[in-house]
Amino acid sequence: MDKISHLPEALLLQILSFLPTKDVVATSVLAKRWKHIWKMVPKLNFDYHLNQSQHETFSENVCRLLLSHKSSVLESLSLRFILDSCDGMDIGMWTGIAYALCLKSLKKLHLCYVDYKDDESVVNLLSGCPNLQELVIHRNLQVVRVFTIAVPSLQRLEIYDWSYGREMVGSYVVNTPSLKYLKIKGFPRLRFSMVEIAPELVEANVIDLSEVIDKKLMQSLASVKRLSLSLSPSEMITFPNTDLYLSPSELIAFPSTGTIFHQLVHLELSTDKAYWWNLLTRMINTSPRLQVLKLIGEWYYGKVGVSCKEWNQPKNVPECLETFVWNTYKEQQEEEKEVAKYILRNANRLKKASISIKGFNSDERLQLLKELENVVKASNSPCELLMC
């Protein structure tokens, strides 16, 4: 007995929205009721390796199905293809059809290694998506020098820029007042600026972007509640073909007074970057409500260890700190241990500390546990120490 055909149409559309568009269209032959249901699915997912046949090219298939789409709302449109297989005319035609149908209702947009004509073409594309909530960008720096993202409705933004070795220095200018989640990952030359504070920002991840951490950006992240940083404030960079020069003090340009991260409760910091401890000090000094602190280290072959003997300790540890996590490798634990001891010694309300050192044998683990237990006993905190 065919039970699925008797389900409400709204439920059928929800089920079909999880399938590739090729499989969704194939359901049209199941029964009379299914003949046109696929046209109402709010999510379209085209893949070059799936959406073509002996009788129809990928571009023809995409155009035909887009023109057949009847849903009043297009929540997601995904186009995955090989650059050499489609030219600019094909891409322009798909975009034009999408604009004509339902692009104003689009909520999710992923742009993966798209070639843009110029800076203005990016602005024009995003201006046609007034209800966009999620934007994910994968790109190599090409023609566009200033990638402007001005979408008031945007709630989630992810940028992955792999412009390693390029002579041009690109930048992103972001104006997204409704933003709740931000992730930036790329290469150190990249510049990133936010036009205004994102008051609704809940979580932000900034990875491998030394130069982008300036005073204006940090102020834009002032309302963030969860923050993950993998940065080095130590590099001294001169941008090619410009007069711009950034010193170590300018790379992490926090104001000397005042509270910045007044809502930050969860901080994760990478310890495999040079002078990471100086960044930690600045973050601790400007995060009075911090409840969770994680120090995460990575190790790889050929990595040169860094020393934090010249560490300028924070003024104090936030009173609200309750959880401390330290995950690292045997090769770099000796230097990081002094920072961990400082946290255990000065976090008066610490309830739980979780320590994991990869590469340690049982004897080494036990020895470190005893050493840290003595630090905890000497403090005033009711901390439970766990060695993973």
Side-chain angles (χ1 to χ4, degrees):
M1 182 177 179
D2 181 13
K3 294 183 178 180
I4 193 171
S5 294
H6 296 285
L7 295 175
E9 183 172 295
L11 183 56
L12 289 177
L13 292 175
Q14 184 177 359
I15 295 173
L16 291 175
S17 67
F18 291 100
L19 301 177
T21 297
K22 178 184 178 182
D23 296 337
V24 173
V25 175
T27 63
S28 62
V29 301
L30 294 178
K32 185 177 180 180
R33 186 191 177 193
W34 290 84
K35 186 174 182 180
H36 298 292
I37 285 183
W38 71 269
K39 299 179 182 179
M40 305 300 295
V41 176
K43 297 181 180 181
L44 297 178
N45 184 356
F46 297 99
D47 190 301
Y48 177 80
H49 298 288
L50 298 177
N51 292 91
Q52 60 177 322
S53 65
Q54 294 180 347
H55 308 289
E56 192 174 42
T57 66
F58 175 71
S59 180
E60 292 170 342
N61 182 266
V62 171
C63 289
R64 178 175 61 83
L65 297 182
L66 280 176
L67 290 171
S68 301
H69 193 254
K70 303 298 181 183
S71 175
S72 59
V73 176
L74 182 60
E75 295 180 1
S76 175
L77 173 61
S78 175
L79 293 164
R80 299 182 180 181
F81 55 93
I82 301 173
L83 284 177
D84 294 339
S85 65
C86 306
D87 57 27
M89 185 176 295
D90 291 324
I91 300 172
M93 186 162 47
W94 304 334
T95 306
I97 295 174
Y99 262 103
L101 294 174
C102 300
L103 200 58
K104 290 184 178 181
S105 64
L106 189 67
K107 294 182 179 180
K108 295 182 180 181
L109 178 61
H110 291 209
L111 300 172
C112 300
Y113 304 106
V114 176
D115 287 331
Y116 307 93
K117 180 182 179 181
D118 51 28
D119 294 10
E120 191 65 25
S121 64
V122 176
V123 176
N124 292 337
L125 172 62
L126 296 180
S127 65
C129 308
N131 294 303
L132 194 65
Q133 295 181 5
E134 177 181 309
L135 176 62
V136 179
I137 300 169
H138 292 261
R139 67 187 290 253
N140 292 322
L141 187 61
Q142 297 176 6
V143 176
V144 176
R145 297 296 300 272
V146 179
F147 200 106
T148 302
I149 303 171
V151 185
S153 61
L154 197 67
Q155 297 182 16
R156 185 181 184 93
L157 173 62
E158 298 181 34
I159 298 174
Y160 304 88
D161 196 307
W162 313 113
S163 304
Y164 292 98
R166 304 275 181 167
E167 292 185 359
M168 289 195 305
V169 179
S171 64
Y172 289 85
V173 176
V174 177
N175 186 1
T176 52
S178 300
L179 199 65
K180 291 181 171 61
Y181 177 88
L182 171 66
K183 183 173 184 179
I184 321 167
K185 185 173 183 179
F187 82 122
R189 286 180 178 174
L190 198 64
R191 302 179 196 166
F192 185 95
S193 64
M194 297 184 72
V195 175
E196 59 183 77
I197 293 176
E200 301 180 28
L201 191 63
V202 175
E203 183 174 350
N205 295 268
V206 185
I207 305 170
D208 292 339
L209 301 176
S210 300
E211 291 81 346
V212 305
I213 305 303
D214 58 16
K215 178 178 178 180
K216 188 174 181 180
L217 175 60
M218 300 312 286
Q219 289 177 338
S220 298
L221 301 180
S223 299
V224 70
K225 295 177 177 62
R226 298 173 61 92
L227 181 61
S228 178
L229 298 175
S230 179
L231 305 165
S232 172
S234 66
E235 299 176 21
M236 305 172 76
I237 305 295
T238 301
F239 290 101
N241 304 320
T242 72
D243 295 327
L244 179 61
Y245 175 82
L246 297 178
S247 67
S249 60
E250 292 172 323
L251 292 177
I252 307 293
F254 289 74
S256 58
T257 61
T259 299
I260 297 183
F261 300 99
H262 51 87
Q263 296 191 51
L264 185 65
V265 296
H266 187 285
L267 173 64
E268 181 175 317
L269 191 66
S270 174
T271 62
D272 64 320
K273 302 297 181 181
Y275 297 95
W276 62 269
W277 51 88
N278 289 335
L279 178 57
L280 173 63
T281 295
R282 300 188 184 204
M283 291 304 303
I284 288 180
N285 286 338
T286 55
S287 307
R289 297 184 180 179
L290 192 65
Q291 298 177 17
V292 179
L293 173 62
K294 294 185 177 182
L295 302 180
I296 309 299
E298 295 183 5
W299 186 263
Y300 48 87
Y301 181 77
K303 178 180 178 180
V304 178
V306 292
S307 172
C308 55
K309 293 181 179 179
E310 300 178 358
W311 180 41
N312 294 320
Q313 297 179 350
K315 298 175 182 177
N316 49 57
V317 175
E319 289 290 333
C320 300
L321 190 65
E322 297 181 348
T323 303
F324 174 56
V325 176
W326 176 34
N327 294 344
T328 191
Y329 284 74
K330 176 180 179 179
E331 291 83 354
Q332 61 193 59
Q333 62 84 28
E334 192 63 35
E335 296 295 344
E336 296 178 16
K337 183 171 63 177
E338 296 308 311
V339 177
K341 282 183 176 181
Y342 173 85
I343 300 296
L344 294 174
R345 186 182 305 116
N346 293 279
N348 297 326
R349 298 185 181 180
L350 196 64
K351 295 180 179 179
K352 182 179 179 180
S354 176
I355 313 297
S356 176
I357 312 295
K358 295 183 180 179
F360 262 12
N361 57 40
S362 57
D363 291 337
E364 291 171 323
R365 188 177 291 106
L366 180 60
Q367 181 180 350
L368 178 60
L369 178 60
K370 291 181 178 179
E371 184 178 352
L372 297 181
E373 282 180 340
N374 291 332
V375 175
V376 172
K377 289 178 182 179
S379 69
N380 299 320
S381 67
C383 178
E384 177 187 6
L385 186 62
L386 302 175
M387 181 69 72
C388 303

